[in-house]
Amino acid sequence: VFGLLYATITTRIRQGTDADLLDNAREFEGLYSANGLEALRAEFRREAEARGKQRVFFRFVDPRMNVLASSDLSAWDGLDASLYVAGRMPQGKAAFRTLSLAGRRHRVRVVTKKVGDGNLIQMGCTLKENARLLERYREVFGTALLVMLVCGAFVGWFVARRAMAGVERTTQTAVQIGRGDLASRVPVGHEGAEIEHLDRKSTRLNSSHIPLSRMPSSA
């Protein structure tokens, strides 16, 4: 159950991240279509300043990957060599990719969207917050699992001890009978139907046992 729930949460978080990236890419596309390249360049700078240059990047490139506009990419070393290039991407379509960049502990989720004139809007964000959220879930799940294991072990020990008490009681009575104490009987307990059946069977066997001293002698 924990594994299934964790997988579901991971998928939902990724879908939420992709939806946010795609919505932003569409907004930038509309801005570019309405107001041109300079408005898009100014919006890239404003958004990067607001969200954090370490957390997000934006850039607008032509089909040959020449940068036409971008936010501050000084904190994104290795981006050009690793970024997904959508050369044959249909107009209006978007592609997602998760990248691991040198010098960054957390991976980066990137969307590339092709606009009407064939140029590409590319933007990405760090998955640091997602990783921290999933780490908290793992801690909660791990703690809950540990508590369940401890409680399960205690309950299992208690049930097994209660069940074995009847077996031990029956065994002790059998030992006493084996030593000649034929009057011994198994005390009635409450361990369950199986133990009670064993107790009754043992009692019947003891009651039907005839001592050797009382057996008739042969002529």
Side-chain angles (χ1 to χ4, degrees):
V1 172
F2 286 157
L4 179 61
L5 182 58
Y6 182 79
T8 302
I9 292 173
T10 302
T11 301
R12 293 291 179 86
I13 291 176
R14 187 188 64 223
Q15 291 174 346
T17 300
D18 289 352
D20 290 341
L21 288 172
L22 187 57
D23 287 345
N24 279 273
R26 288 170 177 167
E27 290 177 4
F28 289 138
E29 181 181 9
L31 179 64
Y32 172 69
S33 299
N35 300 306
L37 185 61
E38 287 301 321
L40 184 63
R41 184 179 290 114
E43 186 65 12
F44 281 171
R45 289 195 297 266
R46 189 188 70 80
E47 286 288 335
E49 290 289 342
R51 301 188 187 185
K53 298 177 182 179
Q54 297 281 347
R55 298 179 57 197
V56 296
F57 78 88
F58 311 95
R59 73 179 188 173
F60 189 62
V61 298
D62 63 19
R64 297 183 178 182
M65 300 303 293
N66 296 313
V67 179
L68 305 178
S70 72
S71 59
D72 187 352
L73 301 178
S74 59
W76 297 87
D77 294 337
L79 187 62
D80 293 338
S82 303
L83 194 56
Y84 179 80
V85 179
R88 297 183 179 180
M89 181 185 299
Q91 178 179 337
K93 296 296 183 179
F96 293 90
R97 189 177 181 185
T98 301
L99 305 177
S100 296
L101 301 182
R104 281 183 172 267
R105 176 183 175 186
H106 299 94
R107 294 185 297 174
V108 179
R109 188 68 169 169
V110 178
V111 61
T112 302
K113 190 175 190 305
K114 194 170 187 177
V115 300
D117 57 4
N119 294 325
L120 303 171
I121 294 176
Q122 297 175 331
M123 59 177 297
C125 65
T126 178
L127 297 179
K128 181 178 180 179
E129 288 77 10
N130 292 2
R132 287 181 174 177
L133 180 59
L134 291 175
E135 183 178 358
R136 294 192 189 99
Y137 278 114
R138 288 194 297 269
E139 291 175 354
V140 172
F141 291 162
T143 301
L145 183 59
L146 180 61
V147 171
M148 289 177 63
L149 289 174
V150 172
C151 293
F154 175 77
V155 172
W157 171 84
F158 177 77
V159 172
R161 183 177 177 84
R162 185 171 180 269
M164 291 304 296
V167 176
E168 182 179 358
R169 189 174 60 250
T170 303
T171 301
Q172 291 176 353
T173 303
V175 170
Q176 292 173 0
I177 294 173
R179 293 174 178 174
D181 186 4
L182 302 180
S184 295
R185 297 292 183 270
V186 180
V188 178
H190 303 281
E191 289 80 9
E194 293 81 1
I195 299 299
E196 291 177 2
H197 176 71
L198 179 61
D199 291 347
R200 289 193 297 269
K201 185 176 181 180
S202 177
T203 301
R204 288 197 299 268
L205 289 175
N206 294 341
S207 300
S208 63
H209 186 80
I210 302 175
L212 291 175
S213 59
R214 298 182 181 178
M215 291 181 63
S217 59
S218 59

